[in-house]
């Protein structure tokens, strides 16, 4: 069965080829196919060659890949420092080149050359050392998308400390749970920042998290002079109170390839978020090579990835990928539509951004605001566009191509996951014509397959997406839960990595993503677990039981819909008041991005006789329709009358 997007495409005779032909690192299908074939036929030779060519090693690796019963490793015997790879090695040729330009919502801006950024990172590394942190200790970072965040991450990497960046939109509850679960010795934060003209108080949120979870770590605060900071003696310290170090005193350590680099907590199909652990060399190679072959980053680029650094996209395509290639990055802190929907385009004009990587939700919002906001600005500096995090539908893709790119820029629809560390599927810029909304081809070394329930390969039919072999950038474990890692991703040993996504491979071998096959939903590119939300809801004293599903949303891709059964004692008369209480409860428990679009208050949930909630019927109900088909397994089929 063909999906509607594939059908639309077949019906449309339009060829999506940029009108300007530029040269890329891969320029023809033949070139791509031959390199891809080489990369999957002899993966060790491929990865070894690329790792030696693009990365700086203090000690060469002797074994490219090794696999045991419960783990796999890349580049054994090798030693390196990721901060050195992102900074020091560029100093000889690029010390005065811009590494980072930052602007906040109020229009304040800062610029750092590679030499200045290097100095800041070394200084921060010396501050971190005063906390007696040892390699492999974990530090949680709760900061906005700012130079301080980039500096803190690279300072951790410099001394072999594992960073655990928590998205600055998370609530005290979610933050506290992540600090605790990661056994963080230190938390780095700032007073706060402005987003959509609202002050986001980071330090106060940290204080609340510490109180809620009785945490004992130290807290290190960047004073950005946005708000008065209250410091708890003996626990809280200001970065600015530490003495400046002399650069010549700096000693640089090197770490093994598999040294842990960072944790990233993300939602899975159970109620407990999982801390995916990424290690050093393989992760860097994935972020670097995809930046090199897909985004074709060069010394001439100013690359803007609009993701928040608190998510994996920000880690790989703001920090590690571009900086390891010595490419200048642009950072923006604040709402993309603040003070008006022209903000994004004005920034591109002002800074002459050459390549833009953003999320479908942001594109949909801009499209909704109207072409006039885009047309007001000169976007002729743009050469390439990227999309990441969720499916981009055909109309949005076309608008991105025509209105933003002026028909001159390739669009890379990139598919990957927190778990894979770097892009696994993407269109390649030199391989036009493009198929709108298609994640296209595997990156080098990646062997994707779409399979049916018994594991047989499917063509032109929707199935489960798997990746046949481990690639270097994949997460190595779930922190303190290796059994869950193996069970969830590698149920057959280190063969056939389970992505949890559904997909369709078309006759050209190109892959279309069809969303999750589990209970993870994707709201504006934020991963949420329905189980996690359900467990928060059930913990509320007003609520007896709850079930959550996703519904389609023209702006956010998917939206959250909750079905709630109240406790008997709860007054049901004020239904609207209770709904708004529940809505606020979810956003304060998880963060405002998790606010439900719809809440239904019910007397009971549609359950089978064995007690299993029939989610498919809830989905239909959420769309305002009456569930049809076989409902004979339901305990009480009349329940729908009362719901509708
Ligand atoms: C979804 C974000 C369609 C997918 C990098 C995946 C996509 C999940 C795309 C991972 C895309 C990501 N088209 N869906 N181009 N990219 N996804 O871990 O369901 O935040 O499994 O990583 O986002 O989300 P995560």
């Amino acid at each position: 069965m063909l999906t509607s997007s594939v059908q639309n495409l077949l019906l449309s005779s339009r060829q999506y080829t940029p009108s300007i032909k530029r040269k890329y690192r891969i320029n023809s299908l033949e070139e791509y196919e031959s390199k891809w074939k080489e990369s999957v036929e002899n993966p060790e030779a491929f990865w070894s060659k690329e790792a030696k060519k693009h990365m700086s090693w203090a000690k060469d690796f002797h074994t490219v890949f090794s696999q045991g019963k419960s783990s796999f490793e890349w580049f054994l015997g090798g030693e390196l420092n990721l901060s050195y790879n992102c900074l020091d090695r560029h100093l000889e040729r690029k010390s005065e080149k811009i590494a980072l330009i930052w602007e906040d919502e109020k229009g304040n801006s800062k610029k750092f050359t590679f030499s200045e950024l290097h100095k800041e990172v070394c200084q921060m590394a010396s501050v971190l050392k005063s906390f007696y942190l040892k390699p492999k200790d974990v530090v949680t970072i709760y900061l906005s998308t700012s130079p301080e965040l980039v500096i803190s991450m690279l300072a951790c990497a410099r001394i072999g400390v594992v960073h655990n960046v928590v998205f600055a939109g998370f609530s005290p509850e979610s933050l506290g749970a992540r600090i605790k679960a990661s056994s963080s010795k230190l938390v780095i934060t700032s007073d706060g920042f402005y987003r959509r003209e609202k002050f986001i108080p980071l330090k106060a949120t940290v204080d609340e998290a510490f109180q809620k979870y009785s945490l004992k770590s130290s807290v290190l605060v960047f004073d950005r002079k946005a708000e008065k900071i209250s410091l708890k003696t003996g626990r809280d310290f200001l970065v600015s109170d530490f003495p400046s170090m002399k650069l010549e005193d700096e000693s640089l350590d090197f770490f093994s390839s598999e040294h842990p680099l960072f944790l990233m907590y993300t939602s899975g199909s159970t109620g407990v978020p999982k801390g995916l652990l990424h290690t050093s060399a393989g992760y860097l190679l994935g972020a670097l090579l995809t930046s090199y072959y897909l985004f074709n980053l060069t010394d001439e680029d100013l690359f803007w990835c609009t993701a928040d650094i608190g998510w994996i996209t920000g880690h790989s395509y703001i920090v590690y990928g571009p900086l390891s290639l010595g490419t200048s990055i642009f950072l923006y802190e604040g709402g993309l539509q603040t003070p008006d929907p022209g903000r994004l385009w004005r920034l591109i004009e002002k800074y002459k951004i050459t390549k833009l990587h953003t999320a479908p939700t942001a594109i949909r919002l801009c499209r909704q605001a109207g072409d006039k906001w885009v047309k007001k600005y000169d976007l002729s500096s743009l050469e390439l566009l990227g999309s990441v995090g969720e499916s981009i539908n055909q109309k949005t893709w076309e608008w991105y191509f025509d209105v933003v790119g002026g028909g001159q820029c390739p669009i890379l629809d990139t598919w990957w996951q927190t778990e894979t560390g770097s892009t696994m599927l993407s269109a390649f810029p030199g391989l036009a014509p493009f198929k709108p909304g298609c994640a296209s081809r595997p990156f080098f070394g990646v062997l994707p397959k779409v399979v049916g329930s018994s594991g047989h390969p499917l063509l032109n039919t929707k199935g489960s997406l798997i990746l046949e072999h481990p690639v270097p950038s994949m997460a190595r474990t779930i922190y303190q839960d290796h059994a869950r890692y193996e069970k969830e991703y590698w149920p057959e040993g280190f063969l056939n990595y389970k992505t949890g996504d559904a997909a369709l491979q078309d006759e050209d071998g190109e892959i279309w993503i069809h969303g999750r096959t589990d209970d993870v939903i994707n709201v504006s590119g934020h991963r949420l677990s329905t189980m996690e939300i359900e467990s928060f809801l059930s913990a509320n004293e007003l609520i007896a039981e709850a079930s959550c599903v996703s519904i389609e949303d023209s702006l956010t891709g998917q939206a959250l819909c909750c079905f709630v059964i109240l406790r008997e004692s709860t007054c049901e008369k004020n239904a609207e008041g209770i709904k708004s209480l529940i809505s606020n409860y979810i956003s304060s428990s998880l963060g405002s991005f998790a606010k439900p679009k719809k809440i239904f208050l019910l007397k009971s949930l549609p359950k089978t006789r064995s007690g299993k909630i029939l989610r498919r019927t809830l989905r239909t109900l959420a769309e305002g329709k009456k569930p049809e088909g076989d409902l004979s397994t339901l305990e009480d089929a009349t329940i729908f009358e009362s719901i509708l």
Side-chain angles (χ1 to χ4, degrees):
M1 194 190 76
L2 290 182
T3 62
S4 54
S5 48
V6 179
Q7 272 166 343
N8 286 345
L9 191 71
L10 293 178
L11 292 174
S12 124
S13 53
R14 193 174 158 192
Q15 291 271 314
Y16 299 90
T17 302
S19 55
I20 294 185
K21 195 160 171 51
R22 295 189 175 88
K23 224 155 154 57
Y24 299 102
R25 289 177 175 125
I26 300 291
N27 290 298
S28 69
L29 199 54
E30 295 72 44
E31 220 179 317
Y32 163 80
E33 278 174 347
S34 114
K35 198 167 174 80
W36 181 76
K37 202 159 166 270
E38 174 200 321
S39 75
V40 292
E41 280 177 356
N42 196 345
E44 293 188 22
F46 169 79
W47 291 116
S48 165
K49 190 173 84 192
E50 298 288 344
K52 284 185 179 151
K53 179 172 162 200
H54 292 285
M55 282 157 58
S56 300
W57 297 87
K59 195 168 153 207
D60 278 346
F61 49 89
H62 52 68
T63 307
V64 184
F65 178 70
S66 148
Q67 177 178 323
K69 201 170 159 288
S70 61
S71 64
F72 60 86
E73 296 178 307
W74 288 89
F75 310 116
L76 277 86
E79 285 183 10
L80 77 174
N81 183 301
L82 262 57
S83 175
Y84 178 93
N85 270 273
C86 290
L87 299 167
D88 309 46
R89 65 170 175 159
H90 306 311
L91 295 182
E92 200 180 317
R93 266 201 324 118
K94 302 182 186 171
S95 73
E96 298 315 310
K97 178 182 159 66
I98 289 293
L100 185 166
I101 303 178
W102 166 85
E103 185 168 310
D104 73 1
E105 201 171 271
K106 292 189 167 178
N108 301 309
S109 72
K110 281 187 191 167
K111 286 183 184 178
F112 295 80
T113 60
F114 273 96
S115 143
E116 287 163 340
L117 191 62
H118 171 254
K119 201 166 151 224
E120 295 285 340
V121 169
C122 292
Q123 166 68 17
M124 186 64 180
S126 94
V127 174
L128 293 181
K129 279 184 185 167
S130 3
F131 287 86
Y132 301 104
L133 296 166
K134 297 183 302 303
K136 297 191 185 172
D137 279 347
V138 181
V139 167
T140 290
I141 310 179
Y142 188 60
L143 284 169
S144 54
T145 290
S146 55
E148 290 83 1
L149 178 46
V150 178
I151 289 164
S152 302
M153 288 164 72
L154 292 175
C156 286
R158 197 164 189 88
I159 60 168
V161 157
V162 180
H163 57 71
N164 172 38
V165 181
V166 176
F167 171 56
F170 271 124
S171 62
E173 188 79 39
S174 305
L175 170 66
R178 284 159 174 77
I179 298 172
K180 189 165 178 216
S182 62
S183 327
S184 290
K185 295 261 167 66
L186 175 74
V187 177
I188 307 176
T189 191
S190 76
D191 37 356
F193 68 107
Y194 283 87
R195 187 177 159 81
R196 296 200 203 119
E197 289 166 351
K198 199 175 134 217
F199 183 67
I200 313 286
L202 297 177
K203 171 65 166 65
T205 308
V206 169
D207 290 343
E208 219 180 308
F210 267 62
Q211 205 169 29
K212 276 202 162 110
Y213 284 83
S214 313
L215 300 168
K216 299 272 178 280
S217 341
S218 303
V219 180
L220 183 58
V221 191
F222 283 99
D223 184 2
R224 294 184 47 184
K225 314 271 183 236
E227 200 186 54
K228 198 168 171 325
I229 303 171
S230 75
L231 296 176
K232 192 168 167 206
T233 318
R235 186 195 76 180
D236 300 349
F237 304 87
L238 286 177
V239 177
S240 51
D241 282 347
F242 286 80
S244 306
M245 69 161 318
K246 286 202 211 84
L247 261 186
E248 54 270 28
D249 292 342
E250 207 235 346
S251 64
L252 186 64
D253 293 320
F254 294 94
F255 303 95
S256 71
S257 298
E258 286 292 339
H259 188 86
L261 175 67
F262 69 87
L263 278 176
M264 164 82 36
Y265 278 87
T266 189
S267 296
S269 52
T270 73
V272 192
K274 46 194 174 183
L276 288 151
L277 181 84
H278 281 278
T279 57
S280 302
Y283 169 77
L284 184 69
L285 184 59
L288 181 155
L289 268 199
T290 45
S291 303
Y292 183 81
Y293 284 115
L294 295 172
F295 290 100
N296 276 257
L297 294 187
T298 66
D299 282 356
E300 278 69 55
D301 282 319
L302 180 58
F303 185 52
W304 184 14
C305 168
T306 70
D308 193 288
I309 303 183
W311 303 113
I312 190 71
T313 304
H315 278 47
S316 303
Y317 298 108
I318 295 180
V319 183
Y320 288 105
L323 290 181
S324 63
L325 287 171
T327 299
S328 312
I329 55 171
F330 177 70
L331 290 185
Y332 172 67
E333 176 189 283
L336 283 173
Q337 306 260 322
T338 312
D340 61 54
R343 188 65 185 256
L344 207 149
W345 318 119
R346 204 151 55 236
L347 287 169
I348 293 175
E349 177 185 272
K350 178 172 172 188
Y351 291 104
K352 301 197 169 33
I353 308 284
T354 57
K355 290 169 182 168
L356 173 74
H357 195 20
T358 191
T361 300
I363 308 168
R364 287 194 290 266
L365 254 174
C366 292
R367 178 170 174 236
Q368 202 179 55
D371 298 9
K372 70 168 200 270
W373 290 106
V374 188
K375 296 207 164 127
K376 251 174 104 163
Y377 300 98
D378 174 10
L379 305 187
S380 58
S381 59
L382 279 179
E383 290 176 15
L384 190 150
L385 302 169
S387 168
V388 59
E390 25 161 351
S391 292
I392 174 166
N393 62 342
Q394 179 159 354
K395 280 274 166 289
T396 309
W397 192 102
E398 280 175 345
W399 184 82
Y400 199 27
F401 185 80
D402 292 330
V403 181
V404 178
Q408 301 182 350
C409 304
I411 296 183
L412 311 188
D413 180 358
T414 65
W415 175 90
W416 56 296
Q417 309 176 300
T418 304
E419 291 83 344
T420 67
S422 63
T423 303
M424 297 285 108
L425 304 174
S426 175
F428 276 67
L431 304 189
F434 300 103
K435 296 179 182 176
C438 181
S440 301
R441 302 185 168 84
F443 187 66
F444 304 125
V446 177
L447 246 176
K449 254 198 192 141
V450 176
V451 297
S453 49
S454 55
H456 57 285
L458 299 172
L459 195 67
N460 259 335
T461 308
K462 196 169 127 181
S464 304
L465 177 66
I466 54 167
L467 308 177
E468 269 190 45
H469 293 294
V471 292
S473 67
M474 278 178 174
R476 301 295 191 262
T477 190
I478 294 176
Y479 191 60
Q480 293 177 338
D481 198 354
H482 194 66
R484 181 176 174 192
Y485 168 80
E486 287 185 81
K487 187 166 155 244
E488 254 184 71
Y489 304 116
W490 304 102
E492 302 168 50
F494 294 115
L495 251 189
N496 299 336
Y497 164 82
K498 250 176 79 177
T499 67
D501 276 11
L504 175 144
Q505 187 158 32
D506 68 19
E507 272 140 12
D508 303 325
E510 293 186 69
I511 295 179
W512 301 74
I513 302 293
H514 282 259
R516 304 285 306 182
T517 55
D518 55 18
D519 294 329
V520 173
I521 72 168
N522 193 328
V523 180
S524 301
H526 300 302
R527 258 167 84 160
L528 294 172
S529 148
T530 49
M531 295 268 292
E532 192 180 349
I533 301 161
E534 284 161 11
S535 69
F536 268 112
L537 285 173
S538 319
N540 186 298
E541 57 192 17
L542 296 177
I543 297 169
E545 200 182 359
S547 185
C548 303
V549 295
S550 66
I551 46 177
E552 297 301 313
D553 184 275
S554 61
L555 207 58
T556 58
Q558 291 185 316
L560 179 68
C561 176
C562 306
F563 294 84
V564 175
I565 301 173
L566 297 174
R567 279 177 196 270
E568 266 178 38
S569 56
T570 309
C571 165
E572 288 177 34
K573 290 209 177 99
N574 181 12
E576 288 315 309
I578 289 180
K579 283 187 192 175
S580 100
L581 261 176
I582 295 175
S583 176
N584 291 337
Y585 171 68
I586 297 182
S587 37
S588 65
S589 306
L590 284 156
S592 56
F593 58 90
K595 214 175 179 66
K597 185 173 178 189
K598 285 188 189 169
I599 297 175
F600 292 86
L601 302 179
L602 310 181
K603 291 229 172 348
S604 64
L605 288 171
K607 286 187 186 168
T608 62
R609 280 159 236 257
S610 59
K612 204 169 169 321
I613 296 171
L614 264 190
R615 283 174 185 275
R616 105 184 130 79
T617 60
L618 287 180
R619 256 174 234 124
T620 318
L621 279 174
E623 286 159 6
K625 293 182 243 157
K626 193 170 171 182
E628 288 174 353
D630 182 11
L631 298 176
S632 59
T633 52
L634 272 186
E635 195 179 45
D636 174 11
T638 62
I639 167 186
F640 298 124
E641 309 303 330
S642 67
I643 297 175
L644 283 171

